[in-house]
Amino acid sequence: IHQTEWTSRTSQLEEVPVLGGGTGFIGTALTQLLKARGHEVTLISRKPAPGRITWDELATSGLPRCDAAINLAGENILNPLRRWNEAFQKEVLSSRLETTHLLARAITKAPHPPQAWVLVTGVAYYQPSPTAEYDEDSPGGDFDFFSNLVTKWEAAARLPGDSTRQVVVRSGVVLGRGGGAIGHMLLPFRLGLGGPIGSGHQFFPWIHIRDLVGILAHAVEASHVQGVLNGVAPASTTTNAEFAQALGAALGRPAFIPLPSTVVQAVFGRERAIMLLEGQKVVPRRTLASGYQYSFPELGAALKEVVA
């Protein structure tokens, strides 16, 4: 998802923007939801276009007056067409850290800073485990490339002082029509060739696109929300094999053909393959406590909506 941002306007707040990754899968869904709720959305992108500002304009002219800034950053880590080499790793890092630093600096320098600053990272912060359960207060962030990436990313977003509410949403695998992880899975499953990845015993933290953007809108609009929220569905005990079975059931197809771990490692590289072959049991304790109500708490209903 290319990083971008937004501007928001509500009847109770002054005229201003929310900034976010509006051209990608999540950004497009979030833009639609925010506009439906009466917000005005301005995107930050590389190229100028109506209703957008560029990153260069942000760096030189500062942040336009806004209620909230949302950061959806970064090169797609699991792009199977990109080899997992040093150049791609640098791209993955810079596409998240540089834009996050730039936005955080712009917020800090703004004469009228936004009321909320929301960053989307990932559950890769938590160490894969077949037994451990992680909530928002669990330790992590220091055991491999991806956990270190999330730690650096969240540190880059940190603002001094407390004039702006800061929220980090650590997202699981996002399920939705027309994009996200499921886009790569549907064809083999429709052909009856789908199945678990590797052993299938690894946990598979997931969230429906409607709930991820719902949590982001909730973070912007609810003044009591701050700190880390896990962007995963409450049915977090799903394993990869259970996910494969549920997707097969939603499509009316068998889903018993496993994808061997050796193939996954060959396609993605050993380090990157860990994201698919190992998983974390992640619970959205603070997300639920904040008052967010899920549209798709259960996997079966979420997948039926996605493949309908």
Side-chain angles (χ1 to χ4, degrees), residues 3-8 16-22 30-31 34 40-45 51-53 55 58 62-72 102-103 106-107 114 116-119 220:
Q3 183 139 345
T4 14
E5 297 78 76
W6 338 65
T7 40
S8 129
V16 281
V18 178
L19 313 165
L30 181 54
T31 301
L34 290 171
E40 181 184 307
V41 177
T42 299
L43 306 177
I44 300 175
S45 62
R52 299 185 184 189
I53 63 169
W55 287 102
L58 180 73
L63 187 71
R65 188 157 178 172
C66 62
D67 288 329
I70 305 171
N71 198 12
L72 305 171
L102 180 55
L103 250 175
I107 291 169
W117 164 221
V118 183
L119 174 71
V220 165

Side-chain angles (χ1 to χ4, degrees), residues 9-298:
R9 179 183 295 167
T10 68
S11 54
Q12 304 92 345
L13 301 172
E14 300 175 44
E15 284 192 19
V16 281
V18 178
L19 313 165
T23 55
F25 174 55
I26 297 168
T28 301
L30 181 54
T31 301
Q32 290 170 348
L33 177 62
L34 290 171
K35 285 182 174 177
R37 292 194 183 194
H39 297 282
E40 181 184 307
V41 177
T42 299
L43 306 177
I44 300 175
S45 62
R46 291 188 186 126
K47 295 176 182 173
R52 299 185 184 189
I53 63 169
T54 66
W55 287 102
D56 288 341
E57 286 171 329
L58 180 73
T60 53
S61 305
L63 187 71
R65 188 157 178 172
C66 62
D67 288 329
I70 305 171
N71 198 12
L72 305 171
E75 181 67 38
N76 177 11
I77 291 173
L78 288 174
N79 180 350
L81 304 178
R82 297 294 305 272
R83 282 188 59 236
W84 188 243
N85 53 25
E86 192 177 340
F88 186 43
Q89 288 175 25
K90 281 183 179 169
E91 222 173 291
V92 164
L93 275 166
S94 65
S95 65
R96 288 158 174 79
L97 301 186
E98 288 173 17
T99 43
T100 304
H101 271 301
L102 180 55
L103 250 175
R105 269 201 308 272
I107 291 169
T108 303
K109 291 179 180 175
H112 301 282
Q115 295 175 22
W117 164 221
V118 183
L119 174 71
V120 180
T121 63
V123 295
Y125 176 82
Y126 308 111
Q127 186 162 11
S129 167
T131 53
E133 180 175 286
Y134 300 106
D135 67 14
E136 290 87 348
D137 296 321
S138 298
D142 61 354
F143 55 88
D144 67 2
F145 175 88
F146 303 105
S147 65
N148 281 309
L149 167 62
V150 176
T151 298
K152 289 174 184 167
W153 194 359
E154 293 179 3
R158 222 158 279 139
L159 306 177
D162 56 4
S163 57
T164 297
R165 269 192 310 112
Q166 300 176 59
V167 183
V168 171
V169 178
R170 292 181 185 146
S171 173
V173 176
V174 183
L175 308 178
R177 291 186 209 181
I182 209 133
H184 302 294
M185 300 179 196
L186 279 180
L187 182 59
F189 273 86
R190 284 193 196 281
L191 295 173
L193 301 174
I197 296 173
S199 72
H201 298 314
Q202 69 272 35
F203 286 112
F204 187 83
W206 62 273
I207 188 166
H208 191 283
I209 181 74
R210 198 180 299 170
D211 281 317
L212 181 60
V213 300
I215 290 168
L216 295 175
H218 175 62
V220 165
E221 295 172 346
S223 59
H224 67 281
V225 176
Q226 56 187 341
V228 175
L229 301 179
N230 282 334
V232 296
S236 58
T237 55
T238 307
T239 65
N240 185 273
E242 288 165 344
F243 175 82
Q245 269 190 317
L247 180 53
L251 291 166
R253 297 286 189 277
F256 300 114
I257 301 174
L259 182 62
S261 56
T262 50
V263 174
V264 178
Q265 289 169 347
V267 172
F268 291 100
R270 192 172 292 274
E271 187 175 45
R272 199 166 39 155
I274 290 170
M275 298 185 77
L276 297 169
L277 297 172
E278 300 178 27
Q280 310 90 334
K281 182 180 180 183
V282 182
V283 295
R285 184 182 57 77
R286 295 188 73 222
T287 308
L288 289 164
S290 76
Y292 180 73
Q293 295 188 325
Y294 282 80
S295 299
F296 293 98
E298 297 295 333

